[in-house]
């Protein structure tokens, strides 16, 4: 868990919108709000130069899901 947390960076994230445009940089807090509003969905891609260096589907980014769960507790 702590090794994963060491790689987590709260700023500088990018995601793809419904038209597959690169949107960002945004913070993790902003992404949480986008997720709740439905603008950031499981089929959105995420990218971060350190935490997620390859464009990855949100539903496959375990670190995002882990942090989300911790924040929601």
């Amino acid at each position: 868990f702590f090794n994963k947390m060491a790689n987590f960076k709260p700023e500088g994230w990018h995601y793809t919108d419904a038209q597959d445009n690169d949107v960002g940089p945004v913070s993790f807090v902003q992404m949480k709000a986008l997720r709740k509003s439905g603008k950031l969905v499981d089929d959105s891609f995420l990218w971060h130069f350190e935490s997620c260096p390859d464009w990855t589907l949100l539903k496959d980014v375990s670190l995002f899901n882990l942090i989300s769960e911790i924040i929601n507790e």
Side-chain angles (χ1 to χ4, degrees):
F1 171 77
F2 290 107
N3 288 338
K4 288 182 181 180
M5 291 299 294
N7 293 330
F8 176 73
K9 306 293 183 202
E11 303 292 330
W13 287 85
H14 290 252
Y15 70 95
T16 56
D17 64 13
Q19 291 77 37
D20 288 329
N21 296 310
D22 173 1
V23 181
V26 296
S27 70
F28 187 79
V29 172
Q30 289 169 307
M31 287 196 308
K32 292 276 298 165
L34 291 163
R35 182 81 164 137
K36 286 184 180 182
S37 73
K39 292 182 181 178
L40 187 60
V41 297
D42 284 346
D43 291 331
S44 299
F45 283 88
L46 296 182
W47 178 86
H48 186 277
F49 72 99
E50 288 183 67
S51 298
C52 187
D54 297 316
W55 284 98
T56 306
L57 286 171
L58 173 86
K59 64 184 173 186
D60 295 334
V61 180
S62 59
L63 186 58
F64 182 88
N65 296 325
L66 177 63
I67 300 297
S68 296
E69 287 176 20
I70 291 169
I71 290 173
N72 287 328
E73 288 182 352

